Amino acid sequence: MIEDEVAVAWQRCREARPDVDLPLATFRAYLDRHRPEDVTPAEQLTWCLEDLYLACGVVAQLPAAIAAADRELVPIIDAALATWDRAVVDETRQRLRAMVLVDHAGRGPLIAQYSGRGALSRWLRVVAAREAGKVRRSDLAQTPVDDERLFDVLAPATDPALSAIKNDAARAFKQAFVAALAELDRRERTALRLHLLDGLTIDAIAPLYDVHRATVARWIANAKQAVLDRTRKRLMHELRLERDEVDSLIRLVHSRIELAEDALRTKK
């Protein structure tokens, strides 16, 4: 019976990865969810089950599975990006570790999209190349998409405080804010995005950089302060906005950042 064959495959995967303790029922359910309608259970058992076993453990957020995937996947990412600029490689690696192992756009780990039909390493190479292209295009763009998205999350156009000011001032504020983000150190900029845009806690970001959570907290605090200070300076000295307009906008973004962080602490 196919149930017995799944149990045999599960035992083989456990022996290959003795540190990843994944229940049979969890693995069986995962296989069922990832089997296309045109594929029989017997056909699926010929796929890369050890890789699926690891992916299942990551999706289940088993610490041993996440650690094993991190050890094995980062060298694959680096090899896939060997011809890219070092700055692109560094940012892509950090983004992918967060996306693949922790969360992708609020939908859980990206590794859940791996079907098992081919090797996990091959799937990851494709994902790495695609993400590196996004990072490169973002660097070349005058206003990176992620930076504009971050502003729109913190200061949506429907916010009463933003709609109360003149349209030209609102546009100037967005331009100044995005420009201030672009001036950040790459590491601080990525950490701020992961924290406020992707919703990762400081504890989730720290392992991606192999640093203590206090270090990440310092990066994010420095980034927030730098962005707000530079935005205020640009608005007042270059765009000649009134102090009251500038201060109301700065308070708006600062309060939005605090609300986002309160939500993260509650989720944690």
Side-chain angles (χ1 to χ4, degrees):
M1 296 178 62
I2 193 66
E3 289 81 3
D4 295 333
E5 294 179 28
V6 171
V8 170
W10 168 76
Q11 186 60 41
R12 186 171 63 249
C13 293
R14 281 172 56 89
E15 293 170 355
R17 299 186 179 279
D19 54 333
V20 180
D21 186 14
L22 188 67
L24 173 58
T26 302
F27 184 54
R28 193 192 304 277
Y30 193 79
L31 291 181
D32 289 342
R33 289 197 304 272
H34 284 73
R35 184 175 61 253
E37 292 183 0
D38 60 343
V39 174
T40 67
E43 289 174 331
Q44 187 184 36
L45 289 178
T46 67
W47 291 2
C48 302
L49 296 186
E50 290 184 14
D51 286 345
L52 273 174
Y53 184 87
L54 179 63
C56 180
V58 172
V59 172
Q61 292 294 280
L62 298 181
I66 295 173
D70 199 21
R71 287 194 307 270
E72 297 174 25
L73 300 187
V74 169
I76 296 172
I77 294 172
D78 288 345
L81 304 178
T83 60
W84 291 81
D85 295 341
R86 174 48 52 187
V88 172
V89 173
D90 289 343
E91 180 156 347
T92 301
R93 184 195 299 117
Q94 303 308 331
R95 284 193 185 189
L96 277 179
R97 289 173 77 188
M99 291 165 52
V100 172
L101 303 178
V102 182
D103 183 75
H104 175 51
R107 297 191 295 272
L110 183 63
I111 201 172
Q113 297 182 16
Y114 166 64
S115 70
R117 192 185 293 268
L120 179 59
S121 59
R122 185 171 64 190
W123 174 84
L124 186 64
R125 285 195 293 270
V126 173
V127 173
R130 184 169 61 237
E131 189 62 25
K134 292 180 182 178
V135 171
R136 182 58 176 160
R137 288 192 296 273
S138 177
D139 284 348
L140 293 176
Q142 205 165 21
T143 55
V145 173
D146 280 354
D147 290 354
E148 292 192 349
R149 284 179 57 214
L150 180 55
F151 176 85
D152 291 337
V153 167
L154 296 176
T158 56
D159 192 289
L162 192 61
S163 59
I165 65 172
K166 297 191 298 291
N167 286 337
D168 56 345
R171 285 193 296 270
F173 179 46
K174 183 171 184 176
Q175 292 171 359
F177 184 89
V178 172
L181 280 173
E183 294 173 359
L184 287 177
D185 171 86
R186 177 183 293 271
R187 182 180 56 192
E188 292 181 348
R189 183 178 174 188
T190 301
L192 189 63
R193 286 174 178 169
L194 290 173
H195 187 52
L196 296 179
L197 190 56
D198 295 327
L200 298 188
T201 64
I202 290 171
D203 288 318
I205 297 172
L208 304 179
Y209 287 92
D210 297 320
V211 297
H212 192 273
R213 68 183 307 278
T215 300
V216 176
R218 185 171 63 253
W219 292 346
I220 292 174
N222 290 343
K224 290 186 298 185
Q225 192 62 50
V227 167
L228 294 178
D229 288 347
R230 292 170 185 173
T231 299
R232 177 184 284 107
K233 181 178 180 180
R234 180 177 175 84
L235 287 172
M236 293 186 65
H237 296 284
E238 295 184 23
L239 302 179
R240 308 300 185 191
L241 292 183
E242 296 295 329
R243 176 180 290 275
D244 288 346
E245 289 180 317
V246 173
D247 287 345
S248 66
L249 292 170
I250 294 298
R251 284 195 298 271
L252 167 65
V253 173
H254 189 269
S255 65
R256 287 282 181 172
I257 291 174
E258 290 183 335
L259 286 173
E261 292 184 320
D262 286 344
L264 283 173
R265 282 191 286 269
T266 300
K267 181 178 73 172
K268 180 183 173 184

